[in-house]
PDB file of all heavy atoms in Angstrom:
ATOM      1  N   GLU H1322      15.895  16.229 -12.119  1.00  0.00           N
ATOM      2  CA  GLU H1322      16.822  15.114 -12.276  1.00  0.00           C
ATOM      3  C   GLU H1322      18.212  15.551 -11.847  1.00  0.00           C
ATOM      4  O   GLU H1322      18.757  16.525 -12.378  1.00  0.00           O
ATOM      5  CB  GLU H1322      16.875  14.651 -13.743  1.00  0.00           C
ATOM      6  CG  GLU H1322      17.924  13.568 -13.974  1.00  0.00           C
ATOM      7  CD  GLU H1322      18.160  13.269 -15.455  1.00  0.00           C
ATOM      8  OE1 GLU H1322      17.670  14.044 -16.306  1.00  0.00           O
ATOM      9  OE2 GLU H1322      18.828  12.261 -15.746  1.00  0.00           O
ATOM     10  N   ALA H1323      18.776  14.828 -10.905  1.00  0.00           N
ATOM     11  CA  ALA H1323      20.153  15.104 -10.490  1.00  0.00           C
ATOM     12  C   ALA H1323      21.068  14.094 -11.168  1.00  0.00           C
ATOM     13  O   ALA H1323      20.828  12.886 -11.100  1.00  0.00           O
ATOM     14  CB  ALA H1323      20.272  14.994  -8.972  1.00  0.00           C
ATOM     15  N   HIS H1324      22.107  14.591 -11.817  1.00  0.00           N
ATOM     16  CA  HIS H1324      23.103  13.705 -12.438  1.00  0.00           C
ATOM     17  C   HIS H1324      24.195  13.413 -11.420  1.00  0.00           C
ATOM     18  O   HIS H1324      24.955  14.302 -11.041  1.00  0.00           O
ATOM     19  CB  HIS H1324      23.693  14.377 -13.681  1.00  0.00           C
ATOM     20  CG  HIS H1324      22.691  14.551 -14.770  1.00  0.00           C
ATOM     21  ND1 HIS H1324      22.457  13.603 -15.734  1.00  0.00           N
ATOM     22  CD2 HIS H1324      21.819  15.562 -15.012  1.00  0.00           C
ATOM     23  CE1 HIS H1324      21.498  14.028 -16.554  1.00  0.00           C
ATOM     24  NE2 HIS H1324      21.085  15.210 -16.124  1.00  0.00           N
ATOM     25  N   THR H1325      24.220  12.167 -10.960  1.00  0.00           N
ATOM     26  CA  THR H1325      25.198  11.791  -9.955  1.00  0.00           C
ATOM     27  C   THR H1325      25.689  10.394 -10.275  1.00  0.00           C
ATOM     28  O   THR H1325      25.488   9.906 -11.397  1.00  0.00           O
ATOM     29  CB  THR H1325      24.590  11.919  -8.530  1.00  0.00           C
ATOM     30  OG1 THR H1325      25.585  11.651  -7.550  1.00  0.00           O
ATOM     31  CG2 THR H1325      23.418  10.976  -8.330  1.00  0.00           C
ATOM     32  N   TYR H1326      26.342   9.758  -9.317  1.00  0.00           N
ATOM     33  CA  TYR H1326      26.918   8.440  -9.595  1.00  0.00           C
ATOM     34  C   TYR H1326      26.979   7.634  -8.300  1.00  0.00           C
ATOM     35  O   TYR H1326      27.344   8.155  -7.254  1.00  0.00           O
ATOM     36  CB  TYR H1326      28.330   8.592 -10.166  1.00  0.00           C
ATOM     37  CG  TYR H1326      28.860   7.329 -10.814  1.00  0.00           C
ATOM     38  CD1 TYR H1326      28.419   6.940 -12.068  1.00  0.00           C
ATOM     39  CD2 TYR H1326      29.812   6.542 -10.160  1.00  0.00           C
ATOM     40  CE1 TYR H1326      28.908   5.782 -12.668  1.00  0.00           C
ATOM     41  CE2 TYR H1326      30.297   5.384 -10.758  1.00  0.00           C
ATOM     42  CZ  TYR H1326      29.843   5.011 -12.009  1.00  0.00           C
ATOM     43  OH  TYR H1326      30.314   3.875 -12.596  1.00  0.00           O
ATOM     44  N   ARG H1327      26.600   6.380  -8.428  1.00  0.00           N
ATOM     45  CA  ARG H1327      26.694   5.486  -7.261  1.00  0.00           C
ATOM     46  C   ARG H1327      28.119   4.946  -7.216  1.00  0.00           C
ATOM     47  O   ARG H1327      28.504   4.143  -8.050  1.00  0.00           O
ATOM     48  CB  ARG H1327      25.686   4.345  -7.411  1.00  0.00           C
ATOM     49  CG  ARG H1327      25.479   3.558  -6.148  1.00  0.00           C
ATOM     50  CD  ARG H1327      24.640   2.326  -6.405  1.00  0.00           C
ATOM     51  NE  ARG H1327      25.388   1.341  -7.156  1.00  0.00           N
ATOM     52  CZ  ARG H1327      24.872   0.568  -8.105  1.00  0.00           C
ATOM     53  NH1 ARG H1327      23.624   0.670  -8.440  1.00  0.00           N
ATOM     54  NH2 ARG H1327      25.628  -0.311  -8.710  1.00  0.00           N
ATOM     55  N   MET H1328      28.899   5.419  -6.248  1.00  0.00           N
ATOM     56  CA  MET H1328      30.327   5.076  -6.227  1.00  0.00           C
ATOM     57  C   MET H1328      30.568   3.635  -5.792  1.00  0.00           C
ATOM     58  O   MET H1328      31.612   3.056  -6.095  1.00  0.00           O
ATOM     59  CB  MET H1328      31.088   6.034  -5.297  1.00  0.00           C
ATOM     60  CG  MET H1328      31.088   7.481  -5.765  1.00  0.00           C
ATOM     61  SD  MET H1328      31.874   7.684  -7.385  1.00  0.00           S
ATOM     62  CE  MET H1328      33.578   7.315  -6.974  1.00  0.00           C
ATOM     63  N   GLN H1329      29.629   3.077  -5.036  1.00  0.00           N
ATOM     64  CA  GLN H1329      29.824   1.714  -4.546  1.00  0.00           C
ATOM     65  C   GLN H1329      28.790   0.784  -5.180  1.00  0.00           C
ATOM     66  O   GLN H1329      27.924   1.213  -5.932  1.00  0.00           O
ATOM     67  CB  GLN H1329      29.744   1.699  -3.010  1.00  0.00           C
ATOM     68  CG  GLN H1329      30.856   2.554  -2.389  1.00  0.00           C
ATOM     69  CD  GLN H1329      30.796   2.594  -0.879  1.00  0.00           C
ATOM     70  OE1 GLN H1329      29.852   2.125  -0.259  1.00  0.00           O
ATOM     71  NE2 GLN H1329      31.813   3.190  -0.279  1.00  0.00           N
ATOM     72  N   ALA H1330      28.913  -0.476  -4.842  1.00  0.00           N
ATOM     73  CA  ALA H1330      27.969  -1.461  -5.378  1.00  0.00           C
ATOM     74  C   ALA H1330      26.556  -1.145  -4.896  1.00  0.00           C
ATOM     75  O   ALA H1330      26.370  -0.394  -3.937  1.00  0.00           O
ATOM     76  CB  ALA H1330      28.377  -2.864  -4.938  1.00  0.00           C
ATOM     77  N   HIS H1331      25.559  -1.725  -5.562  1.00  0.00           N
ATOM     78  CA  HIS H1331      24.158  -1.491  -5.197  1.00  0.00           C
ATOM     79  C   HIS H1331      23.941  -1.759  -3.706  1.00  0.00           C
ATOM     80  O   HIS H1331      23.399  -0.934  -2.980  1.00  0.00           O
ATOM     81  CB  HIS H1331      23.263  -2.397  -6.052  1.00  0.00           C
ATOM     82  CG  HIS H1331      21.844  -2.479  -5.610  1.00  0.00           C
ATOM     83  ND1 HIS H1331      21.000  -1.387  -5.609  1.00  0.00           N
ATOM     84  CD2 HIS H1331      21.117  -3.532  -5.151  1.00  0.00           C
ATOM     85  CE1 HIS H1331      19.806  -1.771  -5.170  1.00  0.00           C
ATOM     86  NE2 HIS H1331      19.860  -3.055  -4.876  1.00  0.00           N
ATOM     87  N   THR H1332      24.355  -2.934  -3.263  1.00  0.00           N
ATOM     88  CA  THR H1332      24.436  -3.260  -1.834  1.00  0.00           C
ATOM     89  C   THR H1332      25.627  -4.189  -1.689  1.00  0.00           C
ATOM     90  O   THR H1332      26.310  -4.500  -2.672  1.00  0.00           O
ATOM     91  CB  THR H1332      23.190  -3.996  -1.303  1.00  0.00           C
ATOM     92  OG1 THR H1332      23.149  -5.307  -1.889  1.00  0.00           O
ATOM     93  CG2 THR H1332      21.902  -3.257  -1.619  1.00  0.00           C
ATOM     94  N   ASN H1333      25.831  -4.675  -0.474  1.00  0.00           N
ATOM     95  CA  ASN H1333      26.919  -5.615  -0.231  1.00  0.00           C
ATOM     96  C   ASN H1333      26.720  -6.929  -0.990  1.00  0.00           C
ATOM     97  O   ASN H1333      27.649  -7.704  -1.177  1.00  0.00           O
ATOM     98  CB  ASN H1333      27.039  -5.882   1.264  1.00  0.00           C
ATOM     99  CG  ASN H1333      25.705  -6.191   1.904  1.00  0.00           C
ATOM    100  OD1 ASN H1333      24.781  -5.382   1.825  1.00  0.00           O
ATOM    101  ND2 ASN H1333      25.576  -7.351   2.501  1.00  0.00           N
ATOM    102  N   ALA H1334      25.501  -7.189  -1.458  1.00  0.00           N
ATOM    103  CA  ALA H1334      25.223  -8.433  -2.170  1.00  0.00           C
ATOM    104  C   ALA H1334      25.580  -8.332  -3.652  1.00  0.00           C
ATOM    105  O   ALA H1334      25.451  -9.296  -4.393  1.00  0.00           O
ATOM    106  CB  ALA H1334      23.747  -8.801  -2.022  1.00  0.00           C
ATOM    107  N   ASP H1335      26.039  -7.171  -4.090  1.00  0.00           N
ATOM    108  CA  ASP H1335      26.225  -6.884  -5.508  1.00  0.00           C
ATOM    109  C   ASP H1335      27.719  -6.880  -5.861  1.00  0.00           C
ATOM    110  O   ASP H1335      28.548  -6.474  -5.054  1.00  0.00           O
ATOM    111  CB  ASP H1335      25.589  -5.504  -5.786  1.00  0.00           C
ATOM    112  CG  ASP H1335      25.825  -5.019  -7.191  1.00  0.00           C
ATOM    113  OD1 ASP H1335      25.841  -5.851  -8.103  1.00  0.00           O
ATOM    114  OD2 ASP H1335      25.986  -3.805  -7.356  1.00  0.00           O
ATOM    115  N   ASP H1336      28.059  -7.329  -7.076  1.00  0.00           N
ATOM    116  CA  ASP H1336      29.439  -7.275  -7.569  1.00  0.00           C
ATOM    117  C   ASP H1336      29.470  -6.319  -8.756  1.00  0.00           C
ATOM    118  O   ASP H1336      29.180  -6.709  -9.889  1.00  0.00           O
ATOM    119  CB  ASP H1336      29.903  -8.682  -7.980  1.00  0.00           C
ATOM    120  CG  ASP H1336      31.286  -8.652  -8.611  1.00  0.00           C
ATOM    121  OD1 ASP H1336      31.951  -7.589  -8.564  1.00  0.00           O
ATOM    122  OD2 ASP H1336      31.701  -9.700  -9.147  1.00  0.00           O
ATOM    123  N   ASP H1337      29.859  -5.071  -8.505  1.00  0.00           N
ATOM    124  CA  ASP H1337      29.766  -4.057  -9.564  1.00  0.00           C
ATOM    125  C   ASP H1337      30.915  -4.157 -10.569  1.00  0.00           C
ATOM    126  O   ASP H1337      30.892  -3.467 -11.582  1.00  0.00           O
ATOM    127  CB  ASP H1337      29.654  -2.645  -8.983  1.00  0.00           C
ATOM    128  CG  ASP H1337      30.901  -2.213  -8.250  1.00  0.00           C
ATOM    129  OD1 ASP H1337      31.650  -3.096  -7.768  1.00  0.00           O
ATOM    130  OD2 ASP H1337      31.144  -0.999  -8.146  1.00  0.00           O
ATOM    131  N   THR H1338      31.903  -5.026 -10.322  1.00  0.00           N
ATOM    132  CA  THR H1338      32.957  -5.196 -11.334  1.00  0.00           C
ATOM    133  C   THR H1338      32.426  -5.943 -12.557  1.00  0.00           C
ATOM    134  O   THR H1338      33.042  -5.943 -13.608  1.00  0.00           O
ATOM    135  CB  THR H1338      34.166  -5.976 -10.769  1.00  0.00           C
ATOM    136  OG1 THR H1338      33.727  -7.298 -10.406  1.00  0.00           O
ATOM    137  CG2 THR H1338      34.746  -5.285  -9.559  1.00  0.00           C
ATOM    138  N   ARG H1339      31.272  -6.570 -12.423  1.00  0.00           N
ATOM    139  CA  ARG H1339      30.696  -7.295 -13.548  1.00  0.00           C
ATOM    140  C   ARG H1339      30.066  -6.369 -14.586  1.00  0.00           C
ATOM    141  O   ARG H1339      29.805  -6.790 -15.699  1.00  0.00           O
ATOM    142  CB  ARG H1339      29.594  -8.255 -13.049  1.00  0.00           C
ATOM    143  CG  ARG H1339      30.117  -9.511 -12.404  1.00  0.00           C
ATOM    144  CD  ARG H1339      28.980 -10.261 -11.741  1.00  0.00           C
ATOM    145  NE  ARG H1339      29.416 -11.621 -11.384  1.00  0.00           N
ATOM    146  CZ  ARG H1339      29.093 -12.703 -12.089  1.00  0.00           C
ATOM    147  NH1 ARG H1339      28.342 -12.613 -13.153  1.00  0.00           N
ATOM    148  NH2 ARG H1339      29.521 -13.894 -11.710  1.00  0.00           N
ATOM    149  N   TYR H1340      29.735  -5.169 -14.187  1.00  0.00           N
ATOM    150  CA  TYR H1340      28.979  -4.335 -15.131  1.00  0.00           C
ATOM    151  C   TYR H1340      29.533  -2.927 -15.347  1.00  0.00           C
ATOM    152  O   TYR H1340      28.947  -2.168 -16.109  1.00  0.00           O
ATOM    153  CB  TYR H1340      27.505  -4.270 -14.718  1.00  0.00           C
ATOM    154  CG  TYR H1340      27.225  -3.786 -13.303  1.00  0.00           C
ATOM    155  CD1 TYR H1340      27.189  -2.429 -13.022  1.00  0.00           C
ATOM    156  CD2 TYR H1340      26.996  -4.689 -12.269  1.00  0.00           C
ATOM    157  CE1 TYR H1340      26.923  -1.987 -11.740  1.00  0.00           C
ATOM    158  CE2 TYR H1340      26.730  -4.257 -10.981  1.00  0.00           C
ATOM    159  CZ  TYR H1340      26.690  -2.908 -10.721  1.00  0.00           C
ATOM    160  OH  TYR H1340      26.427  -2.471  -9.452  1.00  0.00           O
TER     161      TYR H1340
END
Side-chain angles (χ1 to χ4, degrees):
Chain H
E1322 175 190 11
H1324 294 271
T1325 185
Y1326 195 76
R1327 193 189 71 218
M1328 295 299 292
Q1329 298 179 351
H1331 168 64
T1332 68
N1333 48 302
D1335 174 35
D1336 175 10
D1337 66 335
T1338 63
R1339 283 170 167 258
Y1340 56 82

